[in-house]
Amino acid sequence: MTDTEDHIREFARIQPTSGTPQMGRFIAAMRRLQDITVSADPDAALWEASAAAIEEVCARLEEHRAPAGVAPAGRTTNLPGHGHPLMPPWQVVASGPEEVTMRGAFSRFHVGGNDAVHGGVIPLFYDWHFGMVVSAAGRPDSRTAYLHVDYRRVTPIEIPLEARAWIDAVEGRKLFVRATMTDAEGNVLSEANGLMIKLLAHQP
């Protein structure tokens, strides 16, 4: 048995799944809540009433906690952001062993100031994108060793964008990845490069 086969047997890979329309509606509502939370300025009474409503929903969902790998959030490939509210609502439009292309847009929730996407959101996106390149390439579970981003232009919100990530080089356990994000006119908004290292059997 090869080292790669040993590794795959040691670590159960997260299996993708499809989110139901009901889950899709819930995640869409969560994203809307995130956008509203950072843009609303209600009075104290409405803050209080809203908190009570959200706490009630949390209490109901708390009864249905599931372990990692069972809960669908982050695994639902048919939903924006794979059904995870932390991830920007982008979706894969093309995927192969060498390259993964995604399309989507950022929203008010992702603003750092002046309707520009927060600089910290961009590395989060690329880290997620690089992980999908690892999976598409059929590589074993890996961790990010480094991630470097060059900001070329301000990244806008509510504008359709595209990101392409591809394998730059492979050296044993090391997978070097590059990526670019562009707008509809082809302007490069940012570029990234990173190193993904295959986990050893004893590494979490």
Side-chain angles (χ1 to χ4, degrees):
M1 181 175 288
T2 67
D3 177 62
T4 296
E5 290 170 334
D6 273 336
H7 182 85
I8 292 175
R9 198 172 80 172
E10 287 284 340
F11 290 87
R13 297 181 66 87
I14 297 297
Q15 296 300 313
T17 188
S18 292
T20 63
Q22 294 79 9
M23 180 185 176
R25 179 183 176 187
F26 177 85
I27 294 297
M30 280 289 300
R31 293 191 185 282
R32 183 181 177 195
L33 176 61
Q34 290 173 324
D35 285 335
I36 292 172
T37 298
V38 298
S39 57
D41 185 23
D43 58 25
L46 186 52
W47 278 128
E48 187 70 20
S50 299
I54 294 171
E55 288 166 358
E56 180 182 355
V57 172
C58 289
R60 294 173 64 183
L61 290 174
E62 187 76 31
E63 300 174 4
H64 301 275
R65 276 184 177 267
V70 175
R75 302 190 299 121
T76 54
T77 55
N78 64 316
L79 297 180
H82 285 182
H84 198 302
L86 176 66
M87 296 300 144
W90 289 53
Q91 288 186 281
V92 174
V93 295
S95 179
E98 299 290 333
E99 182 177 312
V100 174
T101 300
M102 301 183 70
R103 290 184 187 140
F106 296 98
S107 68
R108 177 69 181 270
F109 178 66
H110 305 110
V111 167
N114 298 326
D115 286 336
V117 175
H118 193 293
V121 172
I122 306 301
L124 169 67
F125 172 84
Y126 280 127
D127 194 42
W128 177 46
H129 200 167
F130 285 176
M132 282 188 279
V133 172
V134 171
S135 296
R139 297 273 295 183
D141 294 337
S142 303
R143 295 290 187 197
T144 307
Y146 71 74
L147 173 63
H148 176 85
V149 178
D150 290 309
Y151 301 90
R152 303 303 185 190
R153 294 182 177 219
V154 169
T155 302
I157 62 169
E158 312 297 349
I159 298 294
L161 304 174
E162 180 175 287
R164 185 173 67 91
W166 64 94
I167 295 173
D168 194 42
V170 180
E171 297 178 8
R173 294 172 56 208
K174 299 178 180 180
L175 186 73
F176 296 89
V177 189
R178 302 187 69 84
T180 60
M181 185 181 296
T182 56
D183 62 17
E185 285 71 47
N187 297 309
V188 176
L189 306 178
S190 59
E191 297 177 291
N193 64 84
L195 170 59
M196 312 296 287
I197 298 185
K198 184 189 79 171
L199 292 175
L200 297 175
H202 66 279
Q203 294 175 317

